[in-house]
Amino acid sequence: MTRPIILTGDRTTGPLHIGHYAGSLRNRLQFQDSHEQFLLLADTQALTDNAHDPGKVRRSVIEVAIDYLAVGIDPEKSTIFLQSHLPALAELSMLYLNFVTVSRLERNPTIKDEIRARGFGRDIPAGFLCYPAAQAADISAFEATVVPVGEDQAPLIEQTNEIVRRVNMVARQRILPEARAVIPPSGRLPGVDGKAKMSKTAGNAIKLSASPEEITAAVRAMFTDPNHLRIEDPGQVEGNVVFAYLDAFDEDCVALEELKHRYSRGGLGDSKIKNRLEDILQALIGPIRQRRTELAKDHAYFVEVIRKGTEKAHDKTEATKRKVIEDLGLFTL
Ligand code: TRP
């Protein structure tokens, strides 16, 4: 029996944070044995809004790979590879750009949010607007059917499937499979400042490499319920960042429900819920940080892991590209 194929990955713009962990890394750990898993270091996509700083994109490749292994990804089980070194991904992207319109790209909710966050107008890099077509290439080149991602990526998987359907329609056969996004039930983790999304760009994230002091400071500063002034006042659980994080990381659901109940009834102070969250985050990040420090000493090992992974990914993506060109009925030599 062949295992279902997973393709997912991360832009290489800096070290990963606990939003990535809750959103997708945790699912990838679970899928390692049951699926054939490909993990993409998306340096080309990182460049779509970082063309002014290729050095950051380059340096982050190893950073992200270290984060993968530090959380428990096993390179013997999951294939870690570098996007920019796979010509077939770029070639499929070029083909797919003809199967999507500019207005559809502009309507993608994730792209819309990102454009707003970055303040892009007509000066938007063309590569940025078009990266959903490249993401469709990433996914379909591996014939992946499962894509573990954070909630914000769902519209990109939807758009991938639209492109795939259009290609299949023109080819008059099902040459590429559609893919399913696997999104965690706890939903999107807000930033520590209460903003909708934790992101490196917004600077409201807790990194997987955070020091104990950084974790303490982040939890202390966390947005709770601005109307919960005295301990005996009833507190709001909805929209409370501390509870959003507890939802994602507290494994004792029964105790958490009880805590929410006491908080909304009144009589439970913010410091109590923050202490609980801090303990949980220190226990989660502590071992990751330790492994990170150990792993970071062996740069050459990571280069080798990525080289091997990229070679394996090369064969798979070349085969798919050839198939797409042939089945679309283009001229072949
Ligand atoms: N867009 C993802 C991110 O922001 C990275 C990515 C690129 C990706 N290609 C992908 C994720 C394909 C899932 C599938 O980090």
Side-chain angles (χ1 to χ4, degrees):
M1 259 268 298
T2 55
R3 293 172 297 167
I5 299 173
I6 285 181
L7 179 286
T8 186
D10 300 276
R11 291 183 193 168
T12 57
T13 53
L16 302 181
H17 53 66
I18 60 171
H20 294 110
Y21 186 80
S24 155
L25 291 172
R26 211 161 30 181
N27 276 336
R28 298 181 202 175
L29 288 174
Q30 277 195 346
F31 285 131
Q32 260 193 140
D33 293 302
S34 53
H35 289 63
E36 162 125 42
Q37 184 156 251
F38 291 91
L39 300 181
L40 164 78
L41 298 165
D43 59 339
T44 315
Q45 191 180 110
L47 215 54
T48 61
D49 65 338
N50 288 281
H52 57 283
D53 197 358
K56 176 173 82 178
V57 173
R58 184 194 66 239
R59 286 188 300 276
S60 304
V61 165
I62 299 283
E63 288 285 317
V64 174
I66 291 176
D67 280 331
Y68 286 175
L69 268 59
V71 300
I73 298 287
D74 178 352
E76 297 296 323
K77 295 179 180 170
S78 302
T79 305
I80 300 171
F81 68 96
L82 189 59
Q83 187 180 33
S84 62
H85 281 49
L86 294 178
L89 297 184
E91 293 167 279
L92 281 171
S93 303
M94 285 305 283
L95 282 170
Y96 291 175
L97 279 172
N98 304 303
F99 292 86
V100 65
T101 64
V102 171
S103 73
R104 174 63 181 93
L105 289 163
E106 284 172 343
R107 267 201 317 277
N108 184 309
T110 302
I111 301 293
K112 271 182 158 171
D113 283 353
E114 290 178 336
I115 287 176
R116 210 172 306 123
R118 288 160 179 74
F120 287 145
R122 295 287 297 162
D123 60 344
I124 183 171
F128 190 87
L129 181 64
C130 298
Y131 89 72
Q135 195 149 326
D138 299 337
I139 295 168
S140 62
F142 290 86
E143 301 186 281
T145 53
V146 182
V147 188
V149 279
E151 198 178 59
D152 63 307
Q153 296 288 302
L156 289 156
I157 316 304
E158 191 45 49
Q159 191 156 12
T160 292
N161 288 336
E162 272 179 42
I163 292 174
V164 159
R165 283 195 290 269
R166 214 154 278 159
V167 170
N168 287 344
M169 201 166 66
V170 173
R172 292 168 186 268
Q173 51 184 313
R174 202 176 156 282
I175 56 177
L176 299 167
E178 291 187 34
R180 174 173 67 87
V182 177
I183 293 162
S186 56
R188 175 189 289 194
L189 211 56
V192 294
D193 55 0
K195 294 240 173 65
K197 187 184 168 187
M198 177 178 283
S199 82
K200 284 176 268 188
T201 320
N204 58 5
I206 301 177
K207 287 184 245 158
L208 290 173
S209 54
S211 68
E213 297 74 30
E214 284 171 326
I215 297 169
T216 307
V219 175
R220 289 279 136 79
M222 247 172 220
F223 184 88
T224 55
D225 170 5
N227 299 316
H228 186 231
L229 297 176
R230 287 169 311 180
I231 291 179
E232 56 273 25
D233 291 341
Q236 185 88 17
V237 169
E238 199 71 24
N240 188 316
V241 176
V242 179
F243 280 108
Y245 282 51
L246 285 170
D247 275 335
F249 297 110
D250 194 337
E251 280 165 12
D252 189 344
C253 305
V254 178
L256 179 56
E257 279 318 303
E258 164 66 15
L259 210 63
K260 285 182 183 173
H261 183 68
R262 281 173 54 202
Y263 191 82
S264 17
R265 205 178 47 200
L268 187 63
D270 281 355
S271 62
K272 281 270 170 31
I273 57 169
K274 286 191 170 181
N275 286 343
R276 182 180 179 90
L277 177 62
E278 193 193 333
D279 288 347
I280 291 171
L281 291 183
Q282 298 285 11
L284 171 75
I285 297 174
I288 297 176
R289 181 177 50 239
Q290 230 168 10
R291 273 178 60 81
R292 244 191 147 276
T293 316
E294 263 320 294
L295 288 162
K297 292 178 187 152
D298 200 350
H299 186 91
Y301 168 71
F302 281 93
V303 174
E304 213 30 52
V305 164
I306 298 168
R307 191 201 313 282
K308 267 208 220 130
T310 305
E311 263 166 34
K312 181 171 169 194
H314 187 267
D315 296 344
K316 176 77 192 157
T317 54
E318 285 297 321
T320 309
K321 176 193 73 183
R322 235 179 351 259
K323 189 168 91 161
V324 171
I325 290 175
E326 281 168 13
D327 292 352
L328 273 177
L330 290 168
F331 199 97
T332 51
L333 293 172

